[in-house]
Amino acid sequence: MGVTTIKEEITIKFAGDSGDGMQLTGTLFTENTAIKGMDLATFPDFPAEIRAPIGTLAGVSGFQLHFGSRIIYTPGDDYDVLVAMNAAALKTNLGRLKKGGTIIANTDGFDKKNLRLAKFEDGAQSPLEDDTLEGYDVFKIDITKLTRACLVDTSLGTKEKDRCKNMFVLGFLYWRYSRDLDPTIQYLKTKFKSKPEILKANIMVLKAGYHYGETTETFSNQVEVKSAPLAKGVYRSIMGNQALVLGLVTAAQKSGLPLFYGSYPITPASDILHGLARHKNFNVKTYQAEDEIAAVCAAIGAAYGGNLAVTGTSGPGLALKGEGIGLAVMLELPLVIVDVQRGGPSTGLPTKTEQSDLLQAVYGRNGECPLPVISISSPVDAFYTAIEACRIAVEHMVPVILLSDGYIANGSEPWKFPKAADLPAIEAKFAKERTGNGEHFLPYRRDERHVREWALPGTRGLAHRIGGLEKEAETGEVSYDPPNHEYMVKIREAKVARIAEHIPEQKILNGPEEGDLLVLGWGSTCGVIESVTRDLVSHGHKVAHVQLRYINPFPRNLGDILNNFKKILIPEINNGQLSKVIKSTYLKPVEQYNKIQGIPITKAELKAQILQVLKAN
Amino acid sequence: MGVTTIKEEITIKFAGDSGDGMQLTGTLFTENTAIKGMDLATFPDFPAEIRAPIGTLAGVSGFQLHFGSRIIYTPGDDYDVLVAMNAAALKTNLGRLKKGGTIIANTDGFDKKNLRLAKFEDGAQSPLEDDTLEGYDVFKIDITKLTRACLVDTSLGTKEKDRCKNMFVLGFLYWRYSRDLDPTIQYLKTKFKSKPEILKANIMVLKAGYHYGETTETFSNQVEVKSAPLAKGVYRSIMGNQALVLGLVTAAQKSGLPLFYGSYPITPASDILHGLARHKNFNVKTYQAEDEIAAVCAAIGAAYGGNLAVTGTSGPGLALKGEGIGLAVMLELPLVIVDVQRGGPSTGLPTKTEQSDLLQAVYGRNGECPLPVISISSPVDAFYTAIEACRIAVEHMVPVILLSDGYIANGSEPWKFPKAADLPAIEAKFAKERTGNGEHFLPYRRDERHVREWALPGTRGLAHRIGGLEKEAETGEVSYDPPNHEYMVKIREAKVARIAEHIPEQKILNGPEEGDLLVLGWGSTCGVIESVTRDLVSHGHKVAHVQLRYINPFPRNLGDILNNFKKILIPEINNGQLSKVIKSTYLKPVEQYNKIQGIPITKAELKAQILQVLKAN
Amino acid sequence: MTKPLTINPLKAKDFATDQDVRWCPGCGDYSILKQVQSVFAELGLDKDEVVVISGIGCSSRFPYYTETYGMHSIHGRAPAFVSGLKMANPDLDVWMVTGDGDGLAIGGNHMMHILRRNFNVNIMLFNNQIYGLTKGQYSPTSEEYKKTKSSPYGSLDHPINPIAFALGCDASYVARSMDRDPKHLKAMLHRSHKHKGAAFLEIYQNCNIFNDGAFFEFTDKATKADRALFVEHGQPLIFGKDQEMGIRLNGLQPEIVNLKHGLFTEDDLWIHDERDIHKANILARFSEISGLPRPFGVIYAIDRPTYEEVAFAQLDDVKSVKGEGNLDQLLAGNMNWEIK
Amino acid sequence: MTKPLTINPLKAKDFATDQDVRWCPGCGDYSILKQVQSVFAELGLDKDEVVVISGIGCSSRFPYYTETYGMHSIHGRAPAFVSGLKMANPDLDVWMVTGDGDGLAIGGNHMMHILRRNFNVNIMLFNNQIYGLTKGQYSPTSEEYKKTKSSPYGSLDHPINPIAFALGCDASYVARSMDRDPKHLKAMLHRSHKHKGAAFLEIYQNCNIFNDGAFFEFTDKATKADRALFVEHGQPLIFGKDQEMGIRLNGLQPEIVNLKHGLFTEDDLWIHDERDIHKANILARFSEISGLPRPFGVIYAIDRPTYEEVAFAQLDDVKSVKGEGNLDQLLAGNMNWEIK
Ligand SMILES: Cc1ncc(C[n+]2csc(CCOP(=O)(O)OP(=O)(O)O)c2C)c(N)n1
Ligand SMILES: Cc1ncc(C[n+]2csc(CCOP(=O)(O)OP(=O)(O)O)c2C)c(N)n1
Ligand code: SF4
Ligand code: SF4
Ligand SMILES: [Mg+2]
Ligand SMILES: [Mg+2]
């Protein structure tokens, strides 16, 4: 056993054909990493097709893991290690492997057929054989052969044997990174409880991979990453959509309201529907509507009936919901509209991430139709922000748009999950039943926050009518009176604006209170901004990071913060949408950094951009 | 015959029950006024109900006419004369009658029943009898009785006789304003060609009204308004929706393309559908779709097939069309989307006017989805701006949103209509058929304006596929390539931005090139701003008026104009939507004047506001 | 929610709001409103347990005039609001009002889906074969070549047959009535209410302003007996001034027979069977077979589980199998580790 | 547009684009694509005159793979694009591709309206009883209690019957075929093309990833003969391995009879009549009557004018009555005055 090198952080990309089990391999390695106390972030990278033909470029499935002994903010820019199960996987991913990085290649995936499928030129040599990979540390292993050999005595068919290949890779990497096999063996035992043969095979191959590392001296050394300075406590790993699901269920429990989720499937929001549908024992009602319009309208119907009503979708679906959301604004009923953004416009890049629905969320309805818009900045944050969206909706009787995106939805992080008891309650304010002939019930009477009461059908003495026509203040009757309309437009606006008094002041995530540059972000850019600004701050730059959760209304101190910096840089995965809103609100010039490629901003890109802005100072 | 007073301008409001024929009375008086060479503007004021019960406040129908010997910019703030055919009409309209103004009241409309229906207090005296009307010049005439008396020898039933009442009013006013009866008699002759009895009755009553004025010395004098300094030429009167219809038909003729109009009825846009449906002999195809989504999609289908495709709606309908418009942006096909704005949000105030869809028009779609937005500033301007929308759509291969509103749609003006031959042609750029095996057709190859060719199905050799997924530059094939997406987002943006080079520079409508205050308007506020600023300029104020037709892209010199004024005031019938766009584009502070009452800004209001802003200088 | 004791049952007028009714004088909607209010009283409904939900249109103004809970929603989407509301509170007594435009133009899809899903709601589709509120354009039920504001040279669309459509959507209950036969309309409203599931009731309604007389042949004294056929479960199809006409099935073809001539007796006639989908489908097509009278009454009615019933049963099932959810367990998930 | 001379008729492969086909290996869509390409060739179509328009879904990828004009539009709205395109150019040969989600969930309303309007288009609804593209949620045609990603405890929706729905929408042509019977599918595509009007063809399509085997009883050698009934106009309803089973109508009830037992002969059987709406409606319900085989073939087909036909005729009519429009006259209107 050679030397063990200690590293601070490592990024591994597992890539192979959709059928190669790379998502599972990545997930298991991730869990193994987490248990060792390292911090980490992951991001999967699915093909756009359901099942692209085996071996093709379109069929490559990837899983990226970034882990370290320091706090990890993103799944990593470039990889230190690339696992390539076939030629297509190598071709697709080589571009982001670091200079001098390690490649673990399954040679069996580089035969003629695979080269052709991966669109290497006719008759081209395997990249494993020519000088393509010069400068990289390449480990060529015929994983298929070794796996089959290891299982030669079992009764499994070739197909089943080959399905264990990924365990070989995993075992091999476990040796390389000085890991324990036990958690994975435990996992396999549960998964294949009813299939002892398969279980045995998987464990055998896993161990074979480990021993292969140990004995073949492929690597001259093992690598170890120490545990990270994470807060003490019990952790789990969680993906963004999953966290959002838990947030919604938690909000329902904390408000004592049954949850109603009306939705129509759409990538990348569908998993919220799938996740919630599993939680019927939490009184969660999922309703798969015939389209997005029906989904939002059913949710409004459920809100009217007293449920915690939520509807979820992605960009094109949000466009369709606009008219319905306008009615919710008029009815002043609580409603949460989740938009897991993806590449647009139109159908766009449905499986890719983007932040390009912000303006639609803020402005995309007819008439003067303001509503709160809040955004999620990381997979774990999805939990807390979902609860906050529900709180605002219920406590302020207003539809709330909650923005997530494809990167958050599918990314994962370790999460020191809270105790249910430690989370604050959400208080719905129901109109109370009335008996006798007291004064008339006034459905649009408001409290000091301009909030009306929630008057549920079925409540004695409150029968009243609501609708989309302009309503008279207090009585809620239809009114065409000119000054009343202006009053109602203003009061609906004021109600939303006043929410600023019921949300926290904006915090600076890191960096000085005043300085040269404020990097202002929202949504899934949080990790990369945090990582880069921390780095720059530690090198003495007067740079700070603010990440907005609240986009409408903005936190009340945001203007002051902006004023304390010489420059403001807004990085976005769009063409400058937050920039527009900031400029029209604060009349301040901002620098923009816009990447519109369906993929996250990398640390290197952002750092270069920030340094350039600073230099131009 | 007494003296004749000369007046410069007069505003008359004709008000009565829906059944009293006030729209016709107003229209005939308007025509009579126009023929005399005065300038004028009108605005009708319909009840929200189809047929509200007779005599009720909800049933009052009004028609406002402002005419003068100087240029008239609006239908007038307050009335000089109020014709009130019943108690409800008086009650609804008295508030806007000028101090000392004239009331012509039909006493028969003020009996107990009418008072009750108009919600006067039980047992209250008629306002004609108590001191309600003190300070006004009141003419009480039992028009019903006089009309019946005049027709006593005819064989008409009472109902038919009473239907002639409005002719009495008209005749009376004709005397009062020194008018000719002939044009109206001509009109009646055409209208009642096949009903000689009715014709005779109408003429009799018209004359009776005239003679009543002449003989009863009700008025001590006649009033005359001289002709206005209008440009020489042949004129007609036109309403905004009607002008829009003519503009679309003209654009079709001038481009040589058949017009396709796909729409779903909605107030106040329906009359465009009705109007176009009459013009089938101009090869106009109207298609009443099952909803707004189908309407926009059918229009896109028609555009794909080579028609000049237009879809029209109002706010809620525009919300529904968002997803479809996004596809049109992606397909880069020509399409005009007309939005005749009304009071929002949601169903809002469907019969009232508002300018509150501007942000929806600019931003209301998923993804980065820019398109040109242009706006109409008066009934006559609807003609020219509709043509311009079609020109931009066809010549730049892009969907264009054309904003009108309820005030423009139903208002009318005299129009010195052009000769067809004098209007410029619109040039569609079709891809040419290809024979033989030349290079592959590239549907997304662009010219120097970034515009692709229009490749019609059925054209030899151009078979190709388009769709809503992101497309590869030039080839138009589906592409998930990250840099390609960014390139395409940017090129679609640039294509729209570059339209600024193909539209005129912004003109200052009146006032100095630089000064204290720029009043910046868009849409139907044009008349009131023009009227007030002219007044102020003539009084020496350094105030100028700019009215935007082009909202996206802004005219290239707009920034310079803004910089030449100390302050900018943006009056809007909304909560400040153009203000938001101006602020985010030019980072300039602006003063807002927002009236959100479903009714136009009055001259008095605007003038007061401007003076206040100037004073604060 | 438990239904509270109602000591003084409400009268029809107690179901009227204090709002001015704003339909055109003479509009058929008035009669429908009146019958609905009477039926609410006759059923002894508790106004706080009733919700009337509509879309947009003249007809959809309905909720403003019924003193119950109500929502005047957006155009065409009433079924979706109803579905969500029923999922929130299945005990409410929900009545949905829609028009031929609201329910079959923009809202046709939601109509299809609420019918197949079979939420327990009483749907009233006011069919006046015109768009009233937008002042007179042809609707999906307008006859071909109709001249309206939007079709000055005649409309081109082949109309949809609401009854056939509802049957094609697997509605569990399909019926037809008219504004001008208060007794029949009331009977039908009672039946709607009794039906558990989505009760689709088409009501012929006269729009005297934009489409006056569209249904006069079925409502006018002079012609009604010959043109309207009132079907009743278990009874033969008989009509005519003297009940002298009958309908029999010749193979699959309905035929009019005269009972006076002695050639046919009641025994030869088609006996109405609400539960027979095939018969219902043929009845639905009477309007397209020239000479046949128009059927009114319950065309089709079967029992099948309502959506909310099954949905709540499933919630209970899952709870009984998995136990009430434990939030702490849910948050913890299956795989934890501890940082010490 | 005049149809240009085609000197070398195109082959099936000429209707394939150079794009990689991206359906899952084994997907039923491949077979449909192949048959469509063959039929295009057999029909001698000119690729520049054909337009394939789809919505969104796995099935809706279709246009990318057919070397004709094509539009991959947005979810559910294909019928609307088709309608507009046909109004612009009625001479194009338009084929529409949709799925059970695209055409019956979000797009159900447009489907209804294109069917009743009867635009001349060949509609292919790929029914796999699942949402494929979004990775496996139940669809409006999924059977009750189906366990899918979005219904882990079983779906609650009562499914829509596409054939019954299309008939309820007054479709002029309704047919059914399947991915795994290329010959039948091709015959049906030929018939679709021949039909003037909206030809609604439901195609059973196997989604081997998310709903494998949904239709195996009709497509598998072992069961097909007993479970699938191929109807042909003028022919008796016969099925079974040895063509030994028949269907007769007992009143309105279809019944299976065995022709081998001698009790019944072909003369007793139901003779298929494509033009009989009542028979079509009963055929549509076979799927709900236990034991009956599933009908494939042309269920219903009648002639009625297409929308575009009537629309263009109206344009011509108006022109012939009013004369070609004169723009100057139009701009001038009826009432002018001159300012001198
Ligand atoms: C999204 C939207 N589109 C269009 C309209 C305009 N609109 C209101 S009611 C209506 C149709 C009314 O017809 P119907 O449903 O038959 O009701 P009726 O008035 O005849 O009772 C239309 C098109 C609207 N309010 N909202
Ligand atoms: C507006 C909108 N909503 C949702 C989606 C997501 N989506 C894409 S295809 C699809 C359903 C696919 O099912 P189906 O039509 O049966 O086609 P299949 O994939 O089964 O062939 C859905 C929900 C979308 N693209 N657009
Ligand atoms: S327009 Fe017709 S439907 Fe509407 S209220 Fe008047 S009469 Fe009734
Ligand atoms: S998911 Fe199903 S329908 Fe879609 S391509 Fe794969 S097998 Fe075909
Ligand atoms: Mg109607
Ligand atoms: Mg499907």
Side-chain angles (χ1 to χ4, degrees), chain C residues 104-105 108-109 112-113 116-117 153-154 156-158 165 167 170 252 278-279 285 304 307 311 314 322, chain D residues 104-105 108-109 113 116-117 153-154 156-158 165 167-168 170 252 278-279 285 304 307 311 314 322:
Chain C
L104 294 171
N109 202 34
M112 180 229 300
H113 290 281
R116 75 175 176 93
R117 289 190 184 116
Y153 300 108
L156 308 173
D157 297 46
H158 175 83
F165 175 70
L167 292 170
D170 266 22
L252 300 179
H278 307 314
K279 280 190 173 158
R285 298 292 172 174
R304 65 181 171 81
Y307 191 97
Q314 189 177 63
K322 296 178 70 175
Chain D
L104 294 170
N109 202 34
H113 290 281
R116 75 174 176 93
R117 290 192 184 115
Y153 300 109
L156 308 172
D157 295 45
H158 175 82
F165 174 71
L167 291 171
D170 265 23
L252 300 180
H278 307 314
K279 280 192 172 156
R285 298 292 172 176
R304 65 181 172 81
Y307 191 95
Q314 189 176 63
K322 296 178 71 175

Side-chain angles (χ1 to χ4, degrees), chain A residues 484-498:
Chain A
N484 176 76
H485 176 49
E486 184 158 315
Y487 173 80
M488 290 299 279
V489 165
K490 295 283 189 189
I491 201 95
R492 285 187 292 260
E493 182 193 34
K495 181 178 79 167
V496 173
R498 194 161 280 192

Side-chain angles (χ1 to χ4, degrees), chain A residues 264-265 292, chain B residues 323, chain D residues 56 58-59 75 100-102 128 130-134:
Chain A
Y264 184 70
E292 284 85 354
Chain B
E323 194 204 7
Chain D
I56 299 282
C58 292
S59 32
H75 197 32
D100 42 329
D102 190 67
N128 55 12
I130 200 84
Y131 292 174
L133 191 72
T134 45

Side-chain angles (χ1 to χ4, degrees), chain B residues 394-407:
Chain B
V394 168
E395 297 189 350
H396 296 266
M397 290 292 283
V398 70
V400 175
I401 292 184
L402 174 60
L403 294 173
S404 178
D405 67 28
Y407 185 53

Side-chain angles (χ1 to χ4, degrees), chain A residues 46-54 58 119 264-267 270-271 273-274 277-280 286-293 320 346-347, chain D residues 20-25 30 56 58 61 73-75 77 101-102 105-106 131-135 137-139 149-153 157 209-210:
Chain A
F46 307 113
E49 278 67 40
I50 312 293
R51 295 278 187 284
I54 297 181
K119 308 239 155 143
Y264 184 70
I266 186 166
T267 307
S270 309
D271 280 338
L273 174 63
H274 306 158
R278 313 197 72 84
H279 299 318
K280 296 207 186 287
T286 53
Y287 180 71
Q288 182 177 311
E290 58 271 27
D291 63 17
E292 284 85 354
I293 299 177
L320 287 169
S346 193
T347 311
Chain D
D20 290 337
V21 183
R22 293 181 167 200
W23 290 311
C24 306
Y30 284 97
I56 299 282
C58 292
R61 289 276 179 143
S73 73
I74 46 176
H75 197 32
R77 319 298 176 188
D102 190 67
I106 192 167
Y131 292 174
L133 191 72
T134 45
K135 305 199 175 170
Q137 300 84 10
Y138 63 99
S139 90
K149 282 221 186 101
S150 57
S151 57
Y153 300 109
D157 295 45
I209 301 296
F210 297 114

Side-chain angles (χ1 to χ4, degrees), chain C residues 149-183:
Chain C
K149 281 219 186 105
S150 57
S151 56
Y153 300 108
S155 61
L156 308 173
D157 297 46
H158 175 83
I160 194 81
N161 173 331
I163 300 291
F165 175 70
L167 292 170
C169 298
D170 266 22
S172 65
Y173 177 99
V174 179
R176 186 191 279 134
S177 192
M178 48 180 135
D179 53 358
R180 300 203 172 187
D181 188 336
K183 227 178 94 200

